[in-house]
Protein backbone atom coordinates (compact mmCIF):
# COMPACT_ATOMS: atom_id res chain seq x y z
CA UNK A 1 0.00 0.00 0.00
CA UNK A 2 1.48 3.32 -1.07
CA UNK A 3 0.16 6.38 0.75
CA UNK A 4 0.85 9.60 -1.11
CA UNK A 5 -1.16 11.93 1.08
CA UNK A 6 2.01 13.49 2.55
CA UNK A 7 2.98 14.61 -0.98
CA UNK A 8 0.40 17.36 -0.94
CA UNK A 9 1.92 20.61 -2.09
CA UNK A 10 0.49 22.82 -4.81
CA UNK A 11 3.71 23.44 -6.74
CA UNK A 12 2.29 26.38 -8.68
CA UNK A 13 -1.12 27.87 -9.41
CA UNK A 14 -1.23 30.34 -12.31
CA UNK A 15 -4.13 32.78 -12.06
CA UNK A 16 -3.61 33.93 -15.69
CA UNK A 17 -3.69 30.54 -17.40
CA UNK A 18 -5.65 28.54 -14.79
CA UNK A 19 -3.00 25.83 -14.70
CA UNK A 20 -2.40 24.09 -11.39
CA UNK A 21 0.73 22.01 -10.97
CA UNK A 22 0.51 19.87 -7.86
CA UNK A 23 1.82 16.83 -6.07
CA UNK A 24 -0.42 13.83 -6.76
CA UNK A 25 -1.34 13.67 -3.06
CA UNK A 26 -2.86 17.17 -3.15
CA UNK A 27 -6.62 16.87 -2.92
CA UNK A 28 -9.49 18.15 -4.99
CA UNK A 29 -10.10 20.48 -2.03
CA UNK A 30 -6.51 21.79 -2.16
CA UNK A 31 -7.02 22.61 -5.86
CA UNK A 32 -10.21 24.62 -5.43
CA UNK A 33 -8.90 26.42 -2.35
CA UNK A 34 -5.84 27.51 -4.34
CA UNK A 35 -7.77 28.63 -7.41
CA UNK A 36 -11.39 29.53 -6.70
CA UNK A 37 -10.54 32.86 -5.01
CA UNK A 38 -8.79 33.74 -8.31
CA UNK A 39 -11.76 32.82 -10.49
CA UNK A 40 -10.96 29.23 -11.50
CA UNK A 41 -12.97 26.11 -10.65
CA UNK A 42 -12.31 22.41 -11.14
CA UNK A 43 -13.08 21.31 -14.71
CA UNK A 44 -14.39 18.01 -13.31
CA UNK A 45 -15.12 17.23 -9.66
CA UNK A 46 -16.41 14.05 -8.01
CA UNK A 47 -19.11 14.26 -5.30
CA UNK A 48 -16.52 14.64 -2.53
CA UNK A 49 -13.53 16.97 -2.28
CA UNK A 50 -11.44 14.41 -0.33
CA UNK A 51 -9.91 12.42 -3.27
CA UNK A 52 -6.34 13.20 -4.27
CA UNK A 53 -5.50 14.44 -7.75
CA UNK A 54 -3.59 11.17 -8.28
CA UNK A 55 -6.71 9.21 -7.32
CA UNK A 56 -8.84 11.38 -9.61
CA UNK A 57 -6.52 10.58 -12.53
CA UNK A 58 -6.24 6.90 -11.63
CA UNK A 59 -10.02 6.37 -11.77
CA UNK A 60 -10.59 9.11 -14.38
CA UNK A 61 -13.39 10.40 -12.14
CA UNK A 62 -16.50 12.10 -13.49
CA UNK A 63 -18.63 14.94 -12.20
CA UNK A 64 -22.18 16.16 -12.69
CA UNK A 65 -20.91 17.68 -15.95
CA UNK A 66 -19.59 14.53 -17.61
CA UNK A 67 -21.96 14.90 -20.57
CA UNK A 68 -20.36 18.27 -21.35
CA UNK A 69 -16.82 18.18 -19.96
CA UNK A 70 -15.87 14.49 -20.01
CA UNK A 71 -13.68 12.84 -17.38
CA UNK A 72 -10.95 14.29 -15.17
CA UNK A 73 -8.21 12.98 -17.45
CA UNK A 74 -9.46 15.10 -20.35
CA UNK A 75 -8.29 18.22 -18.47
CA UNK A 76 -4.88 16.93 -17.47
CA UNK A 77 -2.01 18.62 -19.33
CA UNK A 78 0.70 16.29 -18.04
CA UNK A 79 1.39 13.58 -15.50
CA UNK A 80 4.64 12.96 -13.69
CA UNK A 81 4.99 9.22 -13.25
CA UNK A 82 7.38 7.16 -11.13
CA UNK A 83 7.89 3.83 -12.87
CA UNK A 84 8.50 0.49 -11.21
CA UNK A 85 12.01 0.39 -12.71
CA UNK A 86 12.94 3.60 -10.89
CA UNK A 87 12.51 6.31 -13.55
CA UNK A 88 10.47 9.50 -13.36
CA UNK A 89 8.85 10.31 -16.71
CA UNK A 90 6.28 12.72 -18.09
CA UNK A 91 3.14 11.28 -19.68
CA UNK A 92 1.13 13.94 -21.52
CA UNK A 93 -2.00 13.67 -23.72
CA UNK A 94 0.10 13.10 -26.89
CA UNK A 95 1.81 10.06 -25.33
CA UNK A 96 0.54 6.73 -26.71
CA UNK A 97 -0.12 5.43 -23.18
CA UNK A 98 -1.83 8.52 -21.75
CA UNK A 99 -5.20 6.85 -22.36
CA UNK A 100 -4.04 3.88 -20.31
CA UNK A 101 -2.87 6.01 -17.38
CA UNK A 102 -6.14 7.92 -17.04
CA UNK A 103 -8.42 5.35 -15.47
CA UNK A 104 -5.48 2.92 -15.16
CA UNK A 105 -6.06 2.46 -11.41
CA UNK A 106 -2.40 2.95 -10.58
CA UNK A 107 -1.53 -0.37 -12.19
CA UNK A 108 1.03 1.05 -14.64
CA UNK A 109 3.01 3.44 -12.45
CA UNK A 110 2.77 5.86 -9.60
CA UNK A 111 1.50 9.33 -10.48
CA UNK A 112 3.58 11.77 -8.42
CA UNK A 113 2.60 15.08 -10.04
CA UNK A 114 -0.36 16.44 -12.01
CA UNK A 115 -0.63 19.48 -14.25
CA UNK A 116 -4.32 20.37 -14.51
CA UNK A 117 -6.17 23.04 -16.51
CA UNK A 118 -8.89 24.59 -14.38
CA UNK A 119 -12.08 26.20 -15.70
CA UNK A 120 -12.62 30.00 -15.71
CA UNK A 121 -15.69 31.08 -13.74
CA UNK A 122 -17.10 34.59 -13.46
CA UNK A 123 -18.89 33.99 -10.17
CA UNK A 124 -18.58 31.61 -7.24
CA UNK A 125 -22.27 30.89 -7.70
CA UNK A 126 -24.25 28.79 -10.15
CA UNK A 127 -27.77 29.37 -11.47
CA UNK A 128 -29.65 26.22 -10.46
CA UNK A 129 -33.10 24.98 -11.36
CA UNK A 130 -34.81 22.17 -9.47
CA UNK A 131 -37.80 20.30 -10.87
CA UNK A 132 -39.60 17.14 -9.79
CA UNK A 133 -39.93 14.36 -12.37
CA UNK A 134 -42.76 11.82 -11.97
CA UNK A 135 -40.73 9.06 -13.67
CA UNK A 136 -37.18 8.04 -14.49
CA UNK A 137 -37.99 8.09 -18.20
CA UNK A 138 -39.32 11.63 -17.82
CA UNK A 139 -36.15 12.66 -16.01
CA UNK A 140 -33.97 11.28 -18.79
CA UNK A 141 -36.07 13.07 -21.41
CA UNK A 142 -35.77 16.29 -19.39
CA UNK A 143 -31.98 15.89 -19.13
CA UNK A 144 -31.78 15.42 -22.92
CA UNK A 145 -33.80 18.59 -23.42
CA UNK A 146 -31.74 20.66 -20.97
CA UNK A 147 -28.26 19.34 -21.85
CA UNK A 148 -27.44 21.92 -24.57
CA UNK A 149 -27.82 24.82 -22.10
CA UNK A 150 -26.71 23.20 -18.84
CA UNK A 151 -23.23 22.87 -17.36
CA UNK A 152 -24.32 20.37 -14.70
CA UNK A 153 -27.17 17.85 -14.53
CA UNK A 154 -27.92 15.51 -11.67
CA UNK A 155 -31.04 13.60 -10.68
CA UNK A 156 -32.05 12.16 -7.33
CA UNK A 157 -34.15 9.01 -7.84
CA UNK A 158 -36.68 7.50 -5.42
CA UNK A 159 -35.90 3.79 -5.88
CA UNK A 160 -38.90 2.77 -3.78
CA UNK A 161 -41.30 4.23 -6.36
CA UNK A 162 -42.31 1.98 -9.30
CA UNK A 163 -41.82 4.74 -11.88
CA UNK A 164 -38.48 5.86 -10.40
CA UNK A 165 -39.69 9.40 -9.78
CA UNK A 166 -37.21 11.97 -8.56
CA UNK A 167 -35.85 15.50 -8.61
CA UNK A 168 -33.66 16.90 -11.36
CA UNK A 169 -31.19 19.73 -10.74
CA UNK A 170 -29.79 21.58 -13.73
CA UNK A 171 -27.13 24.22 -13.18
CA UNK A 172 -25.19 26.62 -15.34
CA UNK A 173 -22.23 28.90 -14.79
CA UNK A 174 -23.03 32.59 -14.56
CA UNK A 175 -21.70 34.82 -17.32
CA UNK A 176 -19.72 38.03 -16.80
CA UNK A 177 -21.88 40.65 -15.02
CA UNK A 178 -24.67 38.21 -14.15
CA UNK A 179 -23.78 38.12 -10.44
CA UNK A 180 -23.84 41.61 -8.89
CA UNK A 181 -21.76 40.26 -5.99
CA UNK A 182 -19.30 38.28 -8.11
CA UNK A 183 -16.24 39.57 -6.25
CA UNK A 184 -17.62 38.48 -2.88
CA UNK A 185 -18.92 35.15 -4.14
CA UNK A 186 -15.63 33.25 -4.09
CA UNK A 187 -15.07 33.40 -0.32
CA UNK A 188 -15.64 30.65 2.24
CA UNK A 189 -18.65 32.48 3.72
CA UNK A 190 -20.54 31.88 0.46
CA UNK A 191 -18.97 28.56 -0.53
CA UNK A 192 -19.21 26.54 2.66
CA UNK A 193 -22.28 25.60 4.67
CA UNK A 194 -22.58 27.41 8.03
CA UNK A 195 -21.84 25.23 11.10
CA UNK A 196 -25.53 25.36 12.11
CA UNK A 197 -28.47 24.50 9.87
CA UNK A 198 -31.06 27.31 9.90
CA UNK A 199 -28.82 28.91 12.56
CA UNK A 200 -29.97 26.36 15.16
CA UNK A 201 -29.15 22.67 14.57
CA UNK A 202 -25.40 21.95 14.59
CA UNK A 203 -24.41 20.39 11.29
CA UNK A 204 -22.56 17.66 13.18
CA UNK A 205 -25.95 16.45 14.47
CA UNK A 206 -27.62 16.30 11.05
CA UNK A 207 -26.71 12.66 10.45
CA UNK A 208 -27.77 11.70 14.01
CA UNK A 209 -31.16 13.31 13.29
CA UNK A 210 -31.55 10.95 10.33
CA UNK A 211 -30.75 7.92 12.53
CA UNK A 212 -34.38 7.05 13.37
CA UNK A 213 -35.12 6.73 9.62
CA UNK A 214 -32.26 4.29 8.98
CA UNK A 215 -34.43 1.34 7.97
CA UNK A 216 -36.17 0.34 4.72
CA UNK A 217 -39.50 1.64 6.04
CA UNK A 218 -37.91 4.87 7.29
CA UNK A 219 -36.12 5.44 3.99
CA UNK A 220 -39.25 4.74 1.97
CA UNK A 221 -40.94 7.44 4.02
CA UNK A 222 -37.98 9.86 3.72
CA UNK A 223 -37.92 9.43 -0.07
CA UNK A 224 -41.66 10.05 -0.23
CA UNK A 225 -41.39 13.20 1.88
CA UNK A 226 -38.48 14.52 -0.14
CA UNK A 227 -40.35 14.07 -3.39
CA UNK A 228 -43.56 15.47 -1.88
CA UNK A 229 -41.85 18.66 -0.73
CA UNK A 230 -40.39 19.17 -4.19
CA UNK A 231 -43.76 18.50 -5.82
CA UNK A 232 -45.45 21.09 -3.57
CA UNK A 233 -42.74 23.60 -4.39
CA UNK A 234 -42.85 22.99 -8.13
CA UNK A 235 -40.03 24.05 -10.45
CA UNK A 236 -37.84 26.55 -8.64
CA UNK A 237 -34.72 28.52 -9.51
CA UNK A 238 -32.01 29.55 -7.06
CA UNK A 239 -28.32 30.35 -6.88
CA UNK A 240 -25.92 28.00 -5.16
CA UNK A 241 -22.19 28.13 -4.46
CA UNK A 242 -19.92 25.80 -6.46
CA UNK A 243 -18.60 24.07 -3.34
CA UNK A 244 -22.02 23.47 -1.78
CA UNK A 245 -23.57 22.31 -5.04
CA UNK A 246 -20.72 19.93 -5.82
CA UNK A 247 -19.73 18.53 -2.42
CA UNK A 248 -22.91 18.77 -0.33
CA UNK A 249 -22.31 15.39 1.33
CA UNK A 250 -18.96 16.58 2.72
CA UNK A 251 -20.88 19.04 4.88
CA UNK A 252 -22.84 16.28 6.65
CA UNK A 253 -20.20 14.71 8.87
CA UNK A 254 -20.75 11.04 9.60
CA UNK A 255 -23.54 10.52 6.98
CA UNK A 256 -22.14 7.06 6.28
CA UNK A 257 -22.87 6.04 9.91
CA UNK A 258 -26.48 5.89 8.79
CA UNK A 259 -25.64 2.47 7.37
CA UNK A 260 -24.15 1.07 10.59
CA UNK A 261 -23.36 -1.61 11.52
CA UNK A 262 -23.11 -3.37 8.12
CA UNK A 263 -22.12 -0.37 6.01
CA UNK A 264 -23.23 0.08 2.41
CA UNK A 265 -22.13 -0.58 -1.14
CA UNK A 266 -22.69 1.62 -4.13
CA UNK A 267 -23.58 -0.12 -7.38
CA UNK A 268 -23.18 2.22 -10.35
CA UNK A 269 -23.80 1.13 -13.91
CA UNK A 270 -23.48 3.00 -17.19
CA UNK A 271 -26.00 2.25 -19.94
CA UNK A 272 -26.18 3.45 -23.59
CA UNK A 273 -28.70 6.26 -24.08
CA UNK A 274 -31.15 4.32 -26.23
CA UNK A 275 -31.63 1.58 -23.59
CA UNK A 276 -31.15 3.71 -20.45
CA UNK A 277 -34.73 4.38 -19.27
CA UNK A 278 -36.00 0.86 -19.90
CA UNK A 279 -32.97 -0.93 -18.47
CA UNK A 280 -32.48 1.22 -15.36
CA UNK A 281 -36.17 0.95 -14.55
CA UNK A 282 -36.11 -2.82 -14.93
CA UNK A 283 -33.08 -2.98 -12.60
CA UNK A 284 -35.00 -0.95 -10.02
CA UNK A 285 -37.89 -3.41 -10.39
CA UNK A 286 -35.41 -6.26 -9.76
CA UNK A 287 -34.37 -4.55 -6.51
CA UNK A 288 -37.95 -4.26 -5.30
CA UNK A 289 -38.71 -7.85 -6.30
CA UNK A 290 -35.65 -9.01 -4.31
CA UNK A 291 -36.79 -6.94 -1.33
CA UNK A 292 -33.46 -5.05 -1.31
CA UNK A 293 -34.21 -1.46 -2.26
CA UNK A 294 -31.43 1.12 -2.40
CA UNK A 295 -31.86 4.05 -0.03
CA UNK A 296 -30.43 6.51 -2.51
CA UNK A 297 -30.34 6.65 -6.30
CA UNK A 298 -28.42 9.21 -8.37
CA UNK A 299 -28.75 9.61 -12.14
CA UNK A 300 -26.11 11.29 -14.29
CA UNK A 301 -25.70 11.89 -18.01
CA UNK A 302 -22.42 10.94 -19.71
CA UNK A 303 -20.56 11.00 -23.00
CA UNK A 304 -18.03 8.63 -24.53
CA UNK A 305 -14.60 8.64 -22.94
CA UNK A 306 -11.22 8.17 -24.64
CA UNK A 307 -9.57 6.19 -21.78
CA UNK A 308 -8.65 2.57 -22.42
CA UNK A 309 -10.58 1.45 -19.33
CA UNK A 310 -13.33 4.04 -19.76
CA UNK A 311 -16.30 3.47 -17.50
CA UNK A 312 -18.34 6.24 -19.08
CA UNK A 313 -20.18 6.03 -22.39
CA UNK A 314 -22.75 8.03 -24.31
CA UNK A 315 -25.70 7.43 -22.01
CA UNK A 316 -26.70 7.44 -18.37
CA UNK A 317 -25.44 6.08 -15.08
CA UNK A 318 -27.49 5.19 -12.05
CA UNK A 319 -25.65 4.91 -8.73
CA UNK A 320 -27.56 2.97 -6.10
CA UNK A 321 -26.61 2.95 -2.40
CA UNK A 322 -27.55 -0.36 -0.75
CA UNK A 323 -27.30 -0.99 2.98
CA UNK A 324 -25.45 -4.23 3.71
CA UNK A 325 -26.66 -6.49 6.49
CA UNK A 326 -25.78 -10.02 7.55
CA UNK A 327 -29.23 -11.05 6.30
CA UNK A 328 -29.17 -9.39 2.87
CA UNK A 329 -25.52 -9.80 1.89
CA UNK A 330 -25.82 -12.96 -0.17
CA UNK A 331 -29.02 -11.80 -1.88
CA UNK A 332 -27.51 -8.38 -2.56
CA UNK A 333 -24.48 -9.81 -4.32
CA UNK A 334 -26.83 -12.04 -6.36
CA UNK A 335 -29.01 -9.04 -7.19
CA UNK A 336 -25.98 -7.01 -8.35
CA UNK A 337 -24.88 -9.91 -10.56
CA UNK A 338 -28.37 -10.06 -12.13
CA UNK A 339 -28.35 -6.30 -12.76
CA UNK A 340 -24.83 -6.56 -14.23
CA UNK A 341 -25.97 -9.28 -16.64
CA UNK A 342 -28.73 -7.03 -17.96
CA UNK A 343 -26.26 -4.15 -18.24
CA UNK A 344 -23.71 -6.23 -20.17
CA UNK A 345 -26.47 -7.43 -22.55
CA UNK A 346 -27.28 -3.78 -23.26
CA UNK A 347 -23.64 -2.87 -23.93
CA UNK A 348 -23.20 -1.07 -20.59
CA UNK A 349 -20.45 -0.96 -17.96
CA UNK A 350 -19.78 -0.87 -14.24
CA UNK A 351 -17.45 1.57 -12.46
CA UNK A 352 -14.34 0.14 -10.80
CA UNK A 353 -14.06 3.06 -8.35
CA UNK A 354 -17.30 1.93 -6.73
CA UNK A 355 -17.21 -1.79 -7.31
CA UNK A 356 -17.32 -4.56 -4.76
CA UNK A 357 -19.57 -7.10 -6.44
CA UNK A 358 -18.74 -7.42 -10.16
CA UNK A 359 -17.54 -10.73 -11.59
CA UNK A 360 -14.64 -11.14 -14.02
CA UNK A 361 -16.89 -12.60 -16.76
CA UNK A 362 -19.05 -9.45 -16.69
CA UNK A 363 -16.03 -7.14 -16.74
CA UNK A 364 -14.48 -8.99 -19.68
CA UNK A 365 -17.70 -8.47 -21.62
CA UNK A 366 -18.14 -4.78 -20.92
CA UNK A 367 -14.55 -3.48 -20.95
CA UNK A 368 -13.27 -4.01 -24.51
CA UNK A 369 -10.05 -2.10 -23.71
CA UNK A 370 -8.72 -4.71 -21.28
CA UNK A 371 -6.46 -6.59 -23.78
CA UNK A 372 -4.80 -3.32 -24.88
CA UNK A 373 -4.46 -2.31 -21.23
CA UNK A 374 -2.65 -5.59 -20.50
CA UNK A 375 -0.17 -4.75 -23.26
CA UNK A 376 0.44 -1.35 -21.65
CA UNK A 377 0.94 -3.15 -18.35
CA UNK A 378 3.64 -5.29 -19.95
CA UNK A 379 5.40 -2.17 -21.25
CA UNK A 380 5.31 -0.29 -17.93
CA UNK A 381 5.38 -2.96 -15.24
CA UNK A 382 6.36 -6.29 -16.78
CA UNK A 383 7.27 -7.73 -13.37
CA UNK A 384 3.78 -7.02 -12.07
CA UNK A 385 5.00 -4.98 -9.09
CA UNK A 386 1.81 -2.95 -8.93
CA UNK A 387 -1.42 -4.77 -8.29
CA UNK A 388 -4.61 -4.51 -6.26
CA UNK A 389 -7.30 -6.76 -4.84
CA UNK A 390 -9.71 -5.35 -7.41
CA UNK A 391 -7.38 -6.02 -10.35
CA UNK A 392 -6.91 -9.61 -9.16
CA UNK A 393 -10.61 -10.25 -8.43
CA UNK A 394 -11.70 -8.91 -11.83
CA UNK A 395 -8.70 -10.40 -13.70
CA UNK A 396 -7.84 -7.06 -15.27
CA UNK A 397 -4.09 -7.70 -15.45
C1 LIG B 1 -18.72 10.13 -1.03
C2 LIG B 1 -18.06 9.80 -2.33
C3 LIG B 1 -18.52 10.37 -3.50
C4 LIG B 1 -17.91 10.07 -4.71
N1 LIG B 1 -18.37 10.65 -5.85
C5 LIG B 1 -17.80 10.36 -7.03
C6 LIG B 1 -18.27 10.96 -8.23
O1 LIG B 1 -19.21 11.76 -8.23
N2 LIG B 1 -17.65 10.64 -9.39
C7 LIG B 1 -16.58 9.76 -9.43
O2 LIG B 1 -16.08 9.51 -10.52
N3 LIG B 1 -16.12 9.18 -8.31
C8 LIG B 1 -16.69 9.47 -7.12
N4 LIG B 1 -16.21 8.89 -5.98
C9 LIG B 1 -15.07 7.97 -6.10
C10 LIG B 1 -13.71 8.68 -5.92
O3 LIG B 1 -13.67 9.90 -6.62
C11 LIG B 1 -12.61 7.80 -6.51
O4 LIG B 1 -12.64 6.54 -5.91
C12 LIG B 1 -11.21 8.37 -6.38
O5 LIG B 1 -10.33 7.62 -7.18
C13 LIG B 1 -10.68 8.37 -4.95
O6 LIG B 1 -9.43 8.98 -4.91
P1 LIG B 1 -8.38 8.71 -3.71
O7 LIG B 1 -7.34 9.77 -3.83
O8 LIG B 1 -9.12 8.60 -2.42
O9 LIG B 1 -7.75 7.35 -4.16
P2 LIG B 1 -7.78 5.91 -3.50
O10 LIG B 1 -9.19 5.54 -3.13
O11 LIG B 1 -6.73 5.83 -2.47
O12 LIG B 1 -7.34 5.05 -4.77
C14 LIG B 1 -8.21 4.84 -5.85
C15 LIG B 1 -7.42 4.19 -6.99
O13 LIG B 1 -6.51 5.14 -7.53
C16 LIG B 1 -5.19 4.64 -7.45
N5 LIG B 1 -4.31 5.78 -7.11
C17 LIG B 1 -4.51 6.68 -6.13
N6 LIG B 1 -3.53 7.58 -6.13
C18 LIG B 1 -2.68 7.26 -7.13
C19 LIG B 1 -1.48 7.82 -7.64
N7 LIG B 1 -0.91 8.87 -7.10
N8 LIG B 1 -0.88 7.20 -8.69
C20 LIG B 1 -1.42 6.10 -9.26
N9 LIG B 1 -2.57 5.53 -8.83
C21 LIG B 1 -3.19 6.11 -7.77
C22 LIG B 1 -5.20 3.57 -6.37
O14 LIG B 1 -4.20 2.62 -6.60
C23 LIG B 1 -6.60 2.99 -6.54
O15 LIG B 1 -6.62 2.05 -7.59
C24 LIG B 1 -16.80 9.18 -4.75
C25 LIG B 1 -16.33 8.60 -3.57
C26 LIG B 1 -16.94 8.90 -2.37
C27 LIG B 1 -16.41 8.28 -1.11
Amino acid sequence: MLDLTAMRSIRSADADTGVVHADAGATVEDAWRAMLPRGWWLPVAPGTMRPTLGGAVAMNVHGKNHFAAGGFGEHVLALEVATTDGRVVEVAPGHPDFRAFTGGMGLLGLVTGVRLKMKRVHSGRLAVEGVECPSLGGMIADMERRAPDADYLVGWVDAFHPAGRGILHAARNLGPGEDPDAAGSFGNGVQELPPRIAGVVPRALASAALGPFASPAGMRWMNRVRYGISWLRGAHAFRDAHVRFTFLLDFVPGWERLYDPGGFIQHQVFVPKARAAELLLSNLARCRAAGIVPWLGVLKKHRDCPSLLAHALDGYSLALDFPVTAANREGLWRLCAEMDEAVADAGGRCYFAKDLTARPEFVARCYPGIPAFREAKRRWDSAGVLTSDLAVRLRIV
Side-chain angles (χ1 to χ4, degrees):
M1 175 79 92
L2 299 168
D3 180 356
L4 262 68
T5 49
M7 291 178 64
R8 197 172 167 172
S9 59
I10 300 284
R11 299 178 190 173
S12 64
D14 189 326
D16 294 327
T17 60
V19 175
V20 172
H21 186 203
D23 285 352
T27 62
V28 167
E29 176 175 13
D30 295 335
W32 76 254
R33 284 200 189 278
M35 288 300 263
L36 186 59
R38 300 143 103 181
W40 297 90
W41 178 245
L42 288 145
V44 167
T48 166
M49 57 176 116
R50 309 265 149 75
T52 63
L53 300 184
V57 170
M59 301 316 298
N60 198 13
V61 300
H62 60 261
K64 299 171 182 64
N65 57 351
H66 193 274
F67 64 97
F72 192 85
E74 290 178 61
H75 305 272
V76 167
L77 302 177
L79 299 173
E80 178 190 273
V81 175
T83 63
T84 52
D85 60 6
R87 292 170 297 132
V88 176
V89 298
E90 184 175 285
V91 180
H95 190 290
D97 282 331
F98 184 78
R99 290 186 329 120
F101 269 92
T102 55
M105 297 184 285
L107 293 168
L108 304 183
L110 190 65
V111 177
T112 50
V114 178
R115 211 180 276 276
L116 178 70
K117 175 81 167 120
M118 303 284 281
K119 180 183 167 65
R120 170 61 90 191
V121 287
H122 301 283
S123 165
R125 297 187 184 89
L126 294 161
V128 188
E129 209 183 328
V131 59
E132 84 282 1
C133 303
S135 70
L136 186 75
M139 187 183 289
I140 287 177
D142 209 357
M143 282 194 180
E144 286 299 307
R145 194 173 56 75
R146 289 171 187 267
D149 304 317
D151 291 302
Y152 302 94
L153 289 169
V154 62
W156 163 77
V157 174
D158 176 358
F160 290 90
H161 189 265
R165 67 186 176 187
I167 305 168
L168 164 63
H169 281 108
R172 66 171 178 84
N173 287 300
L174 296 173
E178 252 191 289
D179 183 352
D181 175 37
S185 68
F186 298 109
N188 287 351
V190 171
Q191 294 300 321
E192 301 193 34
L193 281 184
R196 287 175 182 273
I197 298 166
V200 187
V201 185
R203 242 196 300 125
L205 295 183
S207 52
L210 290 174
F213 303 101
S215 66
M219 281 297 152
R220 177 189 292 273
W221 190 82
M222 283 283 292
N223 275 266
R224 195 176 289 172
V225 169
R226 185 173 179 193
Y227 182 81
I229 291 173
S230 178
W231 181 79
L232 285 173
R233 238 171 138 190
H236 54 286
F238 59 100
R239 292 201 170 173
D240 204 357
H242 282 278
V243 173
R244 291 185 195 188
F245 180 79
T246 313
F247 309 121
L248 190 63
L249 218 47
D250 287 342
F251 294 97
V252 186
W255 60 267
E256 67 277 14
R257 300 255 77 94
L258 205 62
Y259 295 93
D260 278 353
F264 76 103
I265 60 165
Q266 187 172 96
H267 183 261
Q268 182 172 14
V269 295
F270 294 72
V271 184
K273 198 184 329 187
R275 300 279 315 273
E278 160 233 336
L279 193 124
L280 296 175
L281 258 184
S282 72
N283 270 356
L284 287 178
R286 279 190 175 88
C287 298
R288 288 192 305 278
I292 310 174
V293 182
W295 290 2
L296 177 68
V298 175
L299 183 79
K300 288 187 199 138
K301 177 170 163 61
H302 300 272
R303 73 180 191 195
D304 280 332
C305 168
S307 288
L308 223 44
L309 296 184
H311 59 272
L313 40 69
D314 182 14
Y316 285 83
S317 73
L318 184 61
L320 302 174
D321 288 9
F322 291 96
V324 181
T325 65
N328 82 359
R329 195 182 167 98
E330 211 183 305
L332 178 54
W333 260 245
R334 205 168 37 241
L335 170 65
C336 290
E338 275 173 31
M339 292 196 285
D340 288 348
E341 270 306 302
V343 167
D345 288 344
R349 295 190 189 133
C350 62
Y351 184 19
F352 296 135
K354 311 279 181 79
D355 181 66
L356 205 64
T357 61
R359 298 169 184 205
E361 308 78 54
F362 162 60
V363 168
R365 277 179 76 197
C366 65
Y367 273 87
I370 287 182
F373 185 77
R374 287 186 187 135
E375 282 167 28
K377 175 76 172 167
R378 275 193 284 280
R379 283 194 293 279
W380 288 90
D381 179 27
S382 55
V385 174
L386 297 167
T387 187
S388 68
D389 286 346
L390 184 132
V392 170
R393 170 168 58 89
L394 299 180
R395 296 187 209 130
I396 293 166
V397 287

